[in-house]
Amino acid sequence: MTNAIQVRGLTKRYGDVQAVKGIDLDIRRGEVFAFLGPNGAGKSTTVEILEGYRKRDAGEVSVLGVDPGRPTREWRSRIGIVLQTANDAAELSVRETVRHFAGYYPNPRDPDEAIAAVGLTESANKRVRQLSGGQRRRVDVALGVLGNPELIFLDEPTTGFDPEARRQFWELIEGLAHTGSTIVLTTHYLDEAEALANRVAVIAGGQIVAEGEPATLGGRATAKAHVIWDEGSVETDTPTKTVLELSRRYDGEVPGLAVTRPTLEDIYLKLIEAPRD
Amino acid sequence: MTDTATGTAPSRTTATRAMPSALKLGLSRGMVETKMFFREKDAVVFTFAFPIILLMLFGSIFAGPLEGSGVTVSQLYTAGLIGAGVMGAGFQSLGIGIAGDRDDGTLKRLAGTPMPRSAYFIGKIINVLVIAFLEVVILLAIGVLMYDLDLPGQVSSWVTFAWVFVLGVTAAALLGTAVSSLPRSAKSAAAVISMPFVVLQFISGVFIPFTQMPEWLINIASVFPLKWMCQGFRAVFLGDGGAMLELTKSYELDRVALVLGAWVIGGLVLCLTTFRWKGRRDG
């Protein structure tokens, strides 16, 4: 079995709202996969179905070879979920919390080692209530990786972080990826997806509207370049030629010259606009 | 990386190791729950102080013996407030506690781990038993020291106490678990759950003797477990002399057992059919 996750024709409806409209997806083992998409696009619903939190209406889903619609304890011990909004266990210390949760797993990591891995050794005796938002998310990660999971879900892990905390957190996630675990994350931040993910799927209107490596997503690598200078701008497939021509015209330096390709954000905004019409 | 499953986590090859048992994890959760409860000082004060203050208040206002029974009013209140205290631990604090767990992500997080769901409930039951037991000990100490309450000497009275306590705590805890699904958020839980509990205490003979209440209110109270729990505790602590104060001139212990037993079964059915692991916001 090469795929950690395999999805065919997944649908889910809430009342009148068709939240997920037929998603096909393969996530390979060892891959870092990011779901991008606006709120209400079906991103969370899809991930929660994969996590075994939510029942699907139709489609075939296999996560680590098991149907998440019928989660077993054995299966749960093989996946790790890092929640977005948890605010629990405030009165326990970091160490107490991690030790307690380690007891749920048949082969847990050493709790102190898990605390060290998320950089909380110095705060291990602090109550969870006293931690900053970023530290708290680190506790969530420690709990998520306690069972030595083959697959880790991270739901918007850096929402509300300051830039420095985000960078540090990215390093933490990169470290997890190096252990060989498959990582599935959802995020609003395009730079986060670009920095961490091997592959990205953009969900909009309950469908995957684009899927691929961040560098080539939505035809990004082949899109026209934009050449701008003080007295004009042009979209072209051959920016080098344009710049050479300009250089000749200005006899050297071109005033205010810039050559840009569409950013992931440009591509993303175009992608999520389309299905809303 | 072609075969990631053989990565850096050697323990994955021994994945056949047995899952920890539900009982062991339930005990572990019980310890954690109790630790968390006692660290949340407001909740501790709120839970324990309420019946204690009421007992001292009522005991001071309505001192003196009740005619012909050899029982004082404050003794009557001690027995009644033990019932209310047990119900408070089971129904009120558990109901509010679970609503909080649903709101702050505790339930969602636990549901995502391999913890068997029964372990959560075992943990809650242990927590409630600890709180209720402490509550009873404190109220009894106040009754004995301040209001001349005599602790029963016969073993049979303590046997009665044991089964009334166990059935009462269980019924209250199951009802608290069921009612925890009603409030929309943890913020509203205290109001939604405390209000019916306060009303129930007033109509169940905790503060006002049944002999002074209209029949229709007595009929309503007789449906719920608190009246019967208090009646059971009066049988233990007021003795034969107090039986004449009851409506039927008897403690009706067989009916106490019957009604509390029925609530245990009904509460269990209610829990199994209505319990939500997700908050309303989570859809």
Side-chain angles (χ1 to χ4, degrees):
Chain A
M1 190 183 57
T2 52
N3 284 333
I5 294 177
Q6 194 160 316
V7 177
R8 293 290 176 272
L10 176 67
T11 63
K12 175 75 183 180
R13 167 187 287 277
Y14 303 116
D16 289 339
V17 182
Q18 188 73 44
V20 179
K21 299 175 185 166
I23 279 181
D24 298 330
L25 187 69
D26 289 310
I27 298 176
R28 291 186 288 270
R29 280 185 181 263
E31 192 168 39
V32 179
F33 192 93
F35 283 106
L36 280 171
N39 286 330
K43 190 175 43 153
S44 296
T45 300
T46 303
V47 172
E48 289 194 347
I49 289 169
L50 299 179
E51 290 169 337
Y53 275 133
R54 226 173 258 287
K55 302 269 184 241
R56 62 186 184 271
D57 291 344
E60 282 171 34
V61 182
S62 162
V63 175
L64 299 178
V66 172
D67 177 354
R70 282 188 288 277
T72 63
R73 289 183 66 195
E74 195 273 331
W75 177 74
R76 286 233 170 269
S77 74
R78 293 165 62 207
I79 67 170
I81 298 173
V82 179
L83 290 174
Q84 182 196 350
T85 50
N87 231 355
D88 54 327
E91 296 300 330
L92 293 180
S93 76
V94 173
R95 183 174 284 119
E96 285 170 330
T97 307
V98 175
R99 280 203 179 144
H100 172 68
F101 274 78
Y104 295 165
Y105 295 89
N107 304 302
R109 279 170 82 150
D110 174 63
D112 287 325
E113 186 248 324
I115 292 169
V118 297
L120 283 179
T121 304
E122 278 173 27
S123 310
N125 291 320
K126 269 195 192 169
R127 301 264 171 99
V128 172
R129 178 168 48 80
Q130 298 168 318
L131 301 180
S132 71
Q135 288 176 318
R136 207 162 176 151
R137 211 70 328 145
R138 285 167 182 271
V139 177
D140 293 337
V141 173
L143 297 181
V145 300
L146 260 182
N148 278 315
E150 294 163 54
L151 169 63
I152 303 165
F153 290 98
L154 292 148
D155 192 11
E156 297 182 10
T158 63
T159 299
F161 279 27
D162 63 50
E164 196 199 346
R166 280 180 73 204
R167 293 280 164 175
Q168 289 171 354
F169 203 84
W170 288 357
E171 282 170 25
L172 176 60
I173 295 171
E174 279 161 6
L176 292 178
H178 284 306
T179 66
S181 298
T182 310
I183 297 179
V184 175
L185 74 135
T186 67
T187 182
H188 283 303
Y189 302 117
L190 297 138
D191 54 342
E192 185 160 287
E194 197 160 22
L196 296 175
N198 308 122
R199 257 178 345 123
V200 174
V202 177
I203 299 188
Q207 286 170 311
I208 293 182
V209 292
E211 187 190 329
E213 290 169 24
T216 59
L217 191 76
R220 188 176 166 201
T222 54
K224 284 189 194 312
H226 214 141
V227 181
I228 312 170
W229 66 102
D230 275 356
E231 286 158 343
S233 71
V234 67
E235 277 190 23
T236 172
D237 286 323
T238 54
T240 314
K241 201 171 141 221
T242 309
V243 170
L244 279 172
E245 281 168 13
L246 283 169
S247 173
R248 237 172 279 136
R249 195 192 303 171
Y250 286 94
D251 194 19
E253 281 303 308
V254 182
L257 176 70
V259 181
T260 59
R261 300 259 179 199
T263 62
L264 188 57
E265 187 163 328
D266 298 330
I267 299 286
Y268 170 75
L269 289 174
K270 223 173 272 176
L271 284 168
I272 62 170
E273 257 168 33
R276 283 183 176 170
D277 302 333
Chain B
M1 244 183 309
T2 47
D3 187 4
T4 51
T6 58
T8 50
S11 52
R12 273 176 210 161
T13 52
T14 58
T16 47
R17 243 167 78 174
M19 288 283 164
S21 78
L23 189 66
K24 187 183 149 216
L25 292 182
L27 291 174
S28 167
R29 277 218 65 79
M31 276 171 59
V32 163
E33 294 271 11
T34 306
K35 215 183 259 182
M36 285 192 286
F37 173 81
F38 282 105
R39 284 179 185 178
E40 203 141 1
K41 298 285 181 286
D42 318 2
V44 175
V45 170
F46 180 69
T47 306
F48 286 112
F50 198 60
I52 293 168
I53 290 170
L54 285 177
L55 174 58
M56 297 178 76
L57 207 63
F58 281 95
S60 312
I61 299 169
F62 305 104
L66 286 158
E67 71 277 20
S69 58
V71 174
T72 65
V73 185
S74 28
Q75 288 170 340
L76 194 68
Y77 280 131
T78 308
L81 278 163
I82 286 173
V86 168
M87 182 100 184
F91 180 78
Q92 184 171 257
S93 49
L94 184 64
I96 295 171
I98 296 178
D101 283 353
R102 193 175 285 120
D103 211 50
D104 69 17
T106 303
L107 288 186
K108 193 175 183 187
R109 190 198 294 285
L110 291 176
T113 71
M115 180 203 79
R117 295 190 169 191
S118 55
Y120 174 76
F121 295 106
I122 295 171
K124 285 291 182 197
I125 290 168
I126 292 171
N127 187 26
V128 166
L129 282 174
V130 169
I131 298 169
F133 183 76
L134 282 177
E135 186 95 76
V136 170
V137 169
I138 294 170
L139 289 172
L140 276 181
I142 293 172
V144 169
L145 295 174
M146 295 179 64
Y147 304 121
D148 303 320
L149 187 83
D150 291 321
L151 291 182
Q154 310 101 305
V155 176
S156 64
S157 293
W158 288 108
V159 171
T160 307
F161 172 81
W163 70 253
V164 172
F165 180 80
V166 169
L167 277 182
V169 169
T170 313
L174 288 166
L175 281 176
T177 308
V179 83
S180 75
S181 295
L182 284 180
R184 296 194 152 264
S185 73
K187 278 183 197 147
S188 62
V192 171
I193 293 170
S194 299
M195 210 275 284
F197 179 50
V198 169
V199 172
L200 200 60
Q201 289 179 68
F202 273 95
I203 67 172
S204 295
V206 175
F207 307 126
I208 306 161
F210 271 110
T211 41
Q212 296 172 21
M213 265 198 287
E215 201 184 327
W216 64 273
L217 263 185
I218 296 171
N219 289 339
I220 293 174
S222 302
V223 175
F224 294 100
L226 184 56
K227 173 206 190 268
W228 303 98
M229 218 194 310
C230 293
Q231 205 162 307
F233 286 131
R234 285 198 295 270
V236 175
F237 296 111
L238 301 186
D240 296 336
M244 62 160 293
L245 298 171
E246 300 293 328
L247 278 176
T248 56
K249 310 291 175 207
S250 149
Y251 290 119
E252 303 173 287
L253 284 178
D254 47 346
R255 286 193 73 188
V256 170
L258 199 71
V259 176
L260 291 182
W263 270 107
V264 168
I265 295 165
L268 190 64
V269 171
L270 217 53
C271 284
L272 292 174
T273 49
T274 64
F275 194 81
R276 294 183 291 120
W277 282 84
K278 277 184 259 181
R280 284 183 203 248
R281 281 180 319 192
D282 303 331

